Amino acid sequence: MSNTPQFQIVAEPFDIIVIGGGINGGGIACEAASRGLKVGLYEAKDFAMATSSASSKLIHGGLRYLEHLEFRLVKEALSEREILLKKAAHIVKPMRFRLPYRDTMRPKWLIRTGLFLYDHLARRGTLQASQQIAVRSTDGLAAELKTAFEYSDCWVDDSRLVISNIKHAHQQGAEVRNYCEVRSIRRGESYWCVTLYDQRLQCEVVRYARAVVNATGPWAAQFLDKCSEESSQHQMQLVKGSHLIVKQLYPGDHAYILQNEDKRVIFVIPYLDKYSMIGTTDIPYTGDPYKAQASKQEIDYLLSICNQNFAAQLEPDDVLDSFSGVRPLFGQQNLPAQKQSRDYELVMQTKRTLPVLSVYGGKLTTYRRLSQKAVEMFEEYFSNMLPSESETSTFAEATGFNPRALQRQLYKQYPYLDKLCLDRLISLYGVATWQVLHSLDDSQLPVVSDLYQCEIDYLQQHEWAHNWDDILQRRTKLCYQLSALEREALTQRPAGL
């Protein structure tokens, strides 16, 4: 791609350097920059390249965590759900979930108790309360299922949530680089010396900072041991979660949460209007997180649970795509993955007043609160830090976001664009859709499908997209819309796109 961003000349050290461009690293950089700190954020590959683009894409309290008595985590997650509904309104959407009832699984009293707590552990604004419903023949479920319980949670485009945080950090003055590997961190007399290798520019660069945040996710322990003079105080349990993409299993825009005899639950979630996403598994993992793939056993497991609950019966050949993410769980070693806490731990190590903070564990829903707590741990080092505003502020793409009004305005402004294309852009960029389309006129044709050059330019210039995978997989999800011929056509385009 063209438009490779050059390193800026830095006149003085950063306050904080954040290593890792997933949801926690992006959130911490966003929080720190908005509180007036000078921040650098560096990611070895693309932003949200690993775990943060391979989640179940839910902003939820974690209904099943109540069984493990994790009331604090659930309450915090439910509170964050309300905050993110406003903060990222362009990509966080309410969704109803249905739990089909089987008398061989959890009893009704237990489900009702759990849903009552779920409704009342934290303030609930626009989301509807839970209820028991009758299963209809048109719902697509197995004939023996007659009753279900329905409750509210939210769906999110996970990789775009990462990008929104990183864009906000950049707007607040942070230096932001993907494809920029941190090779070492070393304490000096007054500052951390951070050695970077920029893969785009193919050069080594040194940055200095008063504090470092290790937000490398599954690599958190490994990074300290390999790239610093520190040693990790915790070893993570890595767990692989796999998801399947199949053709839409049932009508409607609600999701299902399905129980299994092993006490686990899986979700079946509407995806991109014409697919269903099935997941997730919990499999101990020891390999390279970048190379995680769904195994035959995982595929069979997920399909088996679906086939027990839906009238339509799925075979492995019905799986159109799959993806796997590796979650770093903070908890007891040798404890089964499904019983491990999804909570997080923030560990500060300090020598000569030069701290390094490592993030262990965490989940997508609570990233903002984790980020807030992480930055608060640096208050004694930065007395001029501003108060946090992340609980009440909104991302630029969500500021003043009114989807119906925006639809009407864009339909009128761009009558020559397909309405499905405009709806797709609104769902990705919110009010920034105006910025995406500002250079478009009625003489321009799409590059492929409904992808126009103006969107490619925007993603390069404002969202650090470097290659086609960045654009198709993480920024837009157009990978599911393009035909094999269209994908082949893109690979033949020159490097500058």
Side-chain angles (χ1 to χ4, degrees):
M1 278 192 177
S2 60
N3 301 319
T4 298
Q6 301 298 307
F7 261 111
Q8 66 187 55
I9 298 175
V10 177
E12 58 185 32
F14 290 108
D15 293 316
I16 293 178
I17 282 179
V18 180
I19 305 165
I23 189 60
N24 289 334
I28 291 170
C30 179
E31 177 77 17
S34 69
R35 298 184 68 173
L37 299 182
K38 188 175 177 61
V39 177
L41 172 66
Y42 308 107
E43 162 59 43
K45 295 186 181 290
D46 187 27
F47 299 126
M49 177 80 170
T51 308
S52 295
S53 60
S55 74
S56 296
K57 310 187 192 313
L58 299 179
I59 299 297
H60 66 135
L63 181 61
R64 68 183 181 87
Y65 305 154
L66 291 174
E67 286 188 314
H68 303 300
L69 307 181
E70 295 195 72
F71 298 114
R72 188 210 62 79
L73 177 61
V74 174
K75 182 176 181 179
E76 180 175 278
L78 291 172
S79 296
E80 289 301 303
R81 185 183 66 180
E82 292 294 319
I83 292 169
L84 293 176
L85 268 170
K86 298 175 182 177
K87 185 177 186 68
H90 61 305
I91 50 174
V92 177
K93 311 295 182 185
M95 182 174 282
R96 293 293 276 177
F97 287 73
R98 294 180 181 178
L99 173 65
Y101 171 71
R102 289 184 180 274
D103 56 14
T104 57
M105 303 288 184
R106 295 165 177 86
K108 283 187 177 181
W109 70 264
L110 182 62
I111 296 173
R112 289 194 185 101
T113 300
L115 290 175
F116 177 84
L117 290 171
Y118 210 64
D119 282 343
H120 294 91
L121 271 175
R123 181 183 60 82
R124 179 169 42 84
T126 58
L127 297 179
Q128 299 177 50
S130 60
Q131 62 179 347
Q132 182 175 324
I133 62 172
V135 172
R136 300 169 300 180
S137 59
T138 55
D139 288 335
L141 291 174
E144 69 270 18
L145 296 172
K146 305 298 184 183
T147 300
F149 292 88
E150 191 176 74
Y151 66 95
S152 294
D153 261 323
C154 297
W155 181 92
V156 67
D157 186 323
D158 48 7
S159 54
R160 291 217 59 81
L161 183 61
V162 176
I163 290 295
S164 286
N165 278 275
I166 294 173
K167 287 170 73 174
H168 190 79
H170 184 62
Q171 290 158 6
Q172 300 294 317
E175 178 176 81
V176 170
R177 305 287 295 192
N178 56 352
Y179 297 100
C180 188
E181 180 185 3
V182 174
R183 291 190 164 175
S184 69
I185 59 172
R186 295 288 183 269
R187 281 190 175 94
E189 287 301 318
S190 302
Y191 300 104
W192 283 96
C193 176
V194 179
T195 302
L196 315 166
Y197 183 78
D198 188 288
Q199 298 171 42
R200 301 198 203 190
L201 302 178
Q202 297 186 353
C203 68
E204 193 171 271
V205 177
V206 175
R207 287 287 187 260
Y208 297 93
R210 294 173 60 191
V212 170
V213 174
N214 167 24
T216 54
W219 297 271
Q222 176 185 327
F223 175 81
L224 286 183
D225 295 338
K226 178 182 177 182
C227 299
S228 77
E229 298 166 350
E230 307 296 325
S231 58
S232 175
Q233 297 182 9
H234 297 285
Q235 295 298 317
M236 307 302 298
Q237 181 179 0
L238 301 185
V239 173
K240 180 177 63 166
S242 294
H243 296 79
L244 312 179
I245 305 296
V246 300
K247 287 184 180 178
Q248 195 169 40
L249 267 176
Y250 56 88
D253 55 5
H254 57 279
Y256 282 98
I257 175 172
L258 307 178
Q259 304 178 83
N260 194 42
E261 292 177 354
D262 60 6
K263 299 299 183 182
R264 293 200 70 254
V265 297
I266 70 164
F267 294 102
V268 181
I269 302 168
Y271 193 51
L272 301 177
D273 296 327
K274 58 181 179 179
Y275 304 108
S276 293
M277 182 175 69
I278 306 167
T280 182
T281 55
D282 273 315
I283 306 295
Y285 188 76
T286 57
D288 182 350
Y290 287 126
K291 297 179 180 178
Q293 295 181 338
S295 67
K296 180 181 182 302
Q297 290 77 13
E298 288 176 287
I299 293 172
D300 290 344
Y301 174 82
L302 293 173
L303 293 182
S304 174
I305 298 175
C306 275
N307 289 340
Q308 293 170 35
N309 288 274
F310 287 98
Q313 297 294 287
L314 297 171
E315 299 289 341
D317 288 346
D318 294 315
V319 177
L320 304 176
D321 193 19
S322 65
F323 61 89
S324 300
V326 176
R327 298 189 295 275
L329 301 185
F330 174 82
Q332 303 174 40
Q333 294 296 317
N334 304 318
L335 193 67
Q338 59 266 33
K339 293 185 179 180
Q340 285 281 16
S341 173
R342 267 48 177 181
D343 214 337
Y344 53 85
E345 183 80 5
L346 304 173
V347 178
M348 183 85 83
Q349 295 169 257
T350 304
K351 292 179 183 175
R352 298 195 302 275
T353 69
L354 295 177
V356 55
L357 176 68
S358 292
V359 180
Y360 296 96
K363 60 196 296 286
L364 186 69
T365 303
T366 54
Y367 90 88
R368 188 209 63 86
R369 186 69 182 111
L370 179 154
S371 302
Q372 188 180 47
K373 290 179 180 178
V375 175
E376 286 171 354
M377 293 177 72
F378 291 105
E379 286 179 340
E380 65 178 288
Y381 301 95
F382 304 107
S383 59
N384 61 339
M385 192 186 299
L386 299 173
S388 177
E389 59 177 19
S390 60
E391 183 174 343
T392 55
S393 64
T394 59
F395 294 123
E397 304 96 318
T399 302
F401 179 64
N402 182 324
R404 291 194 176 183
L406 187 56
Q407 277 181 329
R408 290 194 298 271
Q409 293 164 1
L410 287 169
Y411 290 171
K412 183 177 180 180
Q413 181 73 22
Y414 298 97
Y416 48 87
L417 281 184
D418 186 88
K419 290 184 177 180
L420 290 177
C421 173
L422 287 171
D423 290 345
R424 178 184 70 81
L425 295 175
I426 292 169
S427 72
L428 294 176
Y429 308 109
V431 298
T433 304
W434 291 111
Q435 191 177 358
V436 175
L437 294 174
H438 82 281
S439 63
L440 184 69
D441 60 51
D442 58 4
S443 67
Q444 297 179 35
L445 297 175
V447 175
V448 290
S449 185
D450 65 4
L451 177 65
Y452 288 80
Q453 186 63 46
C454 62
E455 185 177 4
I456 297 172
D457 293 342
Y458 177 85
L459 293 172
Q460 287 184 270
Q461 296 164 12
H462 299 281
E463 295 194 0
W464 305 277
H466 179 53
N467 56 47
W468 285 118
D469 273 352
D470 298 348
I471 288 177
L472 302 179
Q473 298 281 350
R474 288 172 289 281
R475 303 303 188 281
T476 68
K477 305 298 187 292
L478 280 170
C479 54
Y480 294 105
Q481 183 172 315
L482 303 184
S483 68
L485 287 176
E486 288 172 323
R487 287 194 295 269
E488 177 65 23
L490 286 182
T491 63
Q492 302 303 314
R493 286 176 62 85
L497 299 186

